[in-house]
Amino acid sequence: MGSLNINSSASSPLRAGVNTNTPTPSTVPSASGTTGEAPTTSTILNHLPLSASDTALSASQNSTSDVPTSTSSAKADTAEPDSPSTNQTFSRPENRSGELWAGACIDTVPRAKALAGRTFYDFDGKTVKDPIETLADAGVNAFRVQASRKDCLGPAPFASTASDLDDEDDFKLDFGCIDVKVKLAKQAIALGMRMQLTINQGLNIPKGMEKYSYGQMVQEVQKETKRQLQPFLDAQIVPDIILLENEGTDGFLFHEEATGHDRGSNDGKASQDVVNQEKCGQIPTGKMDSYPQLSGYYKAEVIACNEAIQAAGYPIDTVRYGLHSHGQYVQWKESVVHGPKQASQTELKRIDGSPCEGPSPIPADILAMNASEVLTVAGFSAYADPMRPDDISSTASLQASLGRLEDTLTQIQGYSAGYGRYSTGPFAGQYKLQALGVEYASRFHYPDEISQQQKHTEMMWDLVRKFSATMIGMLWWEPWYCNNHWEGGQATLCHLLPGPRGSGQLGEAPTDTLKTWGAAARSPWKKANA
């Protein structure tokens, strides 16, 4: 789905499950790629190492040599409140039962909770219960929230109007400022969930940035990245995974609103000379057509995040960064596909493929980084296809609708083999490139088709299980967004309970498919190393 309209002390960031029984020394990569002493904070991990007994790739894949350890794709775990402040080592949490994300995108929940007359219930449809608590009690163990360039910092009061229900149905509600996302994240983390944050720069080039040089654009990208991340750090929240752009397959900061021209593309809205200037970075663009510039923006964002996290006093060695493609299994960026550093990250070329002349406008420290080492999460959207299988009574039809997802996972598994495994550090034993299904959903009618949807969901998890060595998990897209016209409001994990006629009130209760979804998080598919 497209985007929705959507300094405290450095004590332990919010996380769950710290175990200090088996400390493991660690160092923290700096933005420049060097390593230094780890900050004096004990931490927990967002995703644990694989053991040799885990579901493996083929023998030929396992023999692939590792690429150098990521220089900047790192992240903070949680510290013990009373841990010593000197000579502290990191500790890996024990995970005897295993962990796999069965998560949810939850950006719409705070706004829905604020609607006049909106009440959320437990599975019985009678017991009033907070929707995030319902997710957690059903087993959901991860969540996604998004921030964007257009988001204010807050506070974000929600005012009720007569058009709220219609606006909700048409995706026209204001879903709040970043402060709302911070409060939501604190609640979910307190319930034991892992966190994925998406930072969005947007496709459009703000008017005030139209005349910027590439170097100035890099600075602005980093400034905006920190603006979106800092409120979470101020609340002592360090995301487990940070993805750059929601379904940002084509890139970001490339569209000129006044002209309609996409910088760097030969779309007929600019002269050939201008397009060549764009592709050579004399006029900056974040379009995929000029990948060295786009990958430079990505790397600049990772540097900015790491700087902000370390400035807040937290370690970065377990933060993972990645991209989120809407290509539904094919349109991966260069950095996700190729592994070892490619010339495509550095060589600017004109329309005809000839090299650009003169010095590169991309800063030297950005050029020196390898995007494939810092972007190690392949996020994707892969909904059931079709959303409602053609014949829900047929096992073959249910399975066929998961073909797109299987193709995606097969493709990423191949890429992961090229990246190799970590040999040291908090992710020792894991493949360096991991997949995350950022958006998934299926459509079944409530209540008469829920049993078929549960069967279909179990089949989906059985499929994911085959790829568990390279999978972080799956997130259901906005499971509580029942009142919307997308797929008739049936691609959720809830159903509506109408209030009295004419009252404008609506209730929401979960379907039993939520139980099936959350149960997967309890499955012991992965085991920690001894």
Side-chain angles (χ1 to χ4, degrees), residues 257-467:
E257 287 192 278
T259 66
H261 171 54
D262 288 345
R263 289 185 180 179
S265 63
N266 201 15
D267 57 11
K269 298 179 180 180
S271 68
Q272 298 287 289
D273 180 60
V274 167
V275 175
N276 277 326
Q277 291 182 59
E278 294 166 351
K279 291 182 73 67
C280 291
Q282 297 162 337
I283 301 174
T285 179
K287 191 84 167 72
M288 183 66 190
D289 299 58
S290 182
Y291 184 70
Q293 295 186 71
L294 174 58
S295 67
Y297 286 167
Y298 289 147
K299 291 180 280 189
E301 287 186 282
V302 172
I303 290 174
C305 287
N306 282 338
E307 288 179 347
I309 293 169
Q310 289 181 308
Y314 303 126
I316 59 174
D317 73 328
T318 56
V319 181
R320 290 183 172 183
Y321 298 93
L323 308 173
H324 173 195
S325 173
H326 76 287
Q328 310 262 48
Y329 88 82
V330 179
Q331 296 170 303
W332 300 106
K333 282 85 170 171
E334 295 277 335
S335 55
V336 173
V337 173
H338 289 305
K341 188 173 181 179
Q342 300 291 306
S344 61
Q345 290 187 36
T346 59
E347 294 182 357
L348 292 165
K349 296 183 178 181
R350 298 162 56 89
I351 297 172
D352 61 6
S354 61
C356 295
E357 299 177 353
S360 174
I362 304 173
D365 61 333
I366 299 293
L367 281 174
M369 290 178 65
N370 184 355
S372 65
E373 290 181 8
V374 298
L375 299 173
T376 59
V377 176
F380 62 89
S381 296
Y383 294 88
D385 182 28
M387 290 286 288
R388 182 185 185 279
D390 295 328
D391 181 359
I392 64 172
S393 64
S394 165
T395 299
S397 180
L398 295 176
Q399 191 68 54
S401 70
L402 299 172
R404 176 179 290 172
L405 174 60
E406 184 170 16
D407 288 342
T408 302
L409 299 181
T410 300
Q411 187 182 46
I412 298 174
Q413 179 178 263
Y415 298 156
S416 294
Y419 273 58
R421 296 179 186 256
Y422 289 109
S423 57
T424 61
F427 299 114
Q430 281 196 24
Y431 282 96
K432 294 178 180 179
L433 179 65
Q434 296 271 321
L436 176 64
V438 184
E439 295 184 18
Y440 171 85
S442 62
R443 176 174 64 84
F444 289 75
H445 186 268
Y446 176 85
D448 50 304
E449 296 178 356
I450 295 303
S451 62
Q452 290 94 332
Q453 187 180 40
Q454 288 180 282
K455 178 180 178 180
H456 183 258
T457 301
E458 289 173 347
M459 293 171 67
M460 187 281 295
W461 283 120
D462 285 343
L463 172 61
V464 170
R465 178 180 177 178
K466 297 176 182 177
F467 297 87

Side-chain angles (χ1 to χ4, degrees), residues 111-385:
R111 185 65 184 99
K113 289 172 63 176
L115 292 173
R118 182 62 53 87
T119 305
F120 289 85
Y121 298 93
D122 205 345
F123 288 92
D124 60 7
K126 299 177 182 179
T127 305
V128 175
K129 189 173 182 178
D130 183 89
I132 304 303
E133 291 183 10
T134 300
L135 292 176
D137 288 348
V140 171
N141 65 347
F143 68 97
R144 175 182 77 155
V145 292
Q146 298 193 63
S148 73
R149 179 177 289 274
K150 62 189 175 186
D151 284 347
C152 58
L153 295 179
F158 293 124
S160 297
T161 67
S163 65
D164 277 350
L165 292 183
D166 290 338
D167 289 345
E168 181 183 33
D169 183 56
D170 291 332
F171 298 92
K172 294 179 181 179
L173 284 177
D174 177 0
F175 291 98
C177 301
I178 295 178
D179 66 316
V180 174
K181 315 299 177 66
V182 171
K183 293 175 184 176
L184 183 61
K186 289 180 72 172
Q187 180 190 9
I189 290 170
L191 292 168
M193 297 187 194
R194 303 297 194 184
M195 176 181 177
Q196 187 262 294
L197 171 67
T198 298
I199 291 176
N200 290 286
Q201 300 281 348
L203 304 183
N204 297 330
I205 302 172
K207 187 173 180 59
M209 295 164 54
E210 290 176 350
K211 303 297 183 181
Y212 280 11
S213 67
Y214 184 83
Q216 290 174 316
M217 290 292 281
V218 165
Q219 293 176 356
E220 177 59 34
V221 164
Q222 293 186 311
K223 178 182 177 181
E224 177 59 24
T225 297
K226 291 181 178 181
R227 187 190 76 89
Q228 294 181 34
L229 175 60
Q230 193 61 48
F232 295 94
L233 299 177
D234 289 344
Q236 302 178 26
I237 297 171
V238 182
D240 295 282
I241 293 173
I242 298 176
L243 299 184
L244 310 178
E245 299 302 305
N246 175 66
E247 297 185 333
T249 302
D250 296 327
F252 60 87
L253 293 179
F254 60 77
H255 182 72
E256 297 179 348
E257 287 192 278
T259 66
H261 171 54
D262 288 345
R263 289 185 180 179
S265 63
N266 201 15
D267 57 11
K269 298 179 180 180
S271 68
Q272 298 287 289
D273 180 60
V274 167
V275 175
N276 277 326
Q277 291 182 59
E278 294 166 351
K279 291 182 73 67
C280 291
Q282 297 162 337
I283 301 174
T285 179
K287 191 84 167 72
M288 183 66 190
D289 299 58
S290 182
Y291 184 70
Q293 295 186 71
L294 174 58
S295 67
Y297 286 167
Y298 289 147
K299 291 180 280 189
E301 287 186 282
V302 172
I303 290 174
C305 287
N306 282 338
E307 288 179 347
I309 293 169
Q310 289 181 308
Y314 303 126
I316 59 174
D317 73 328
T318 56
V319 181
R320 290 183 172 183
Y321 298 93
L323 308 173
H324 173 195
S325 173
H326 76 287
Q328 310 262 48
Y329 88 82
V330 179
Q331 296 170 303
W332 300 106
K333 282 85 170 171
E334 295 277 335
S335 55
V336 173
V337 173
H338 289 305
K341 188 173 181 179
Q342 300 291 306
S344 61
Q345 290 187 36
T346 59
E347 294 182 357
L348 292 165
K349 296 183 178 181
R350 298 162 56 89
I351 297 172
D352 61 6
S354 61
C356 295
E357 299 177 353
S360 174
I362 304 173
D365 61 333
I366 299 293
L367 281 174
M369 290 178 65
N370 184 355
S372 65
E373 290 181 8
V374 298
L375 299 173
T376 59
V377 176
F380 62 89
S381 296
Y383 294 88
D385 182 28

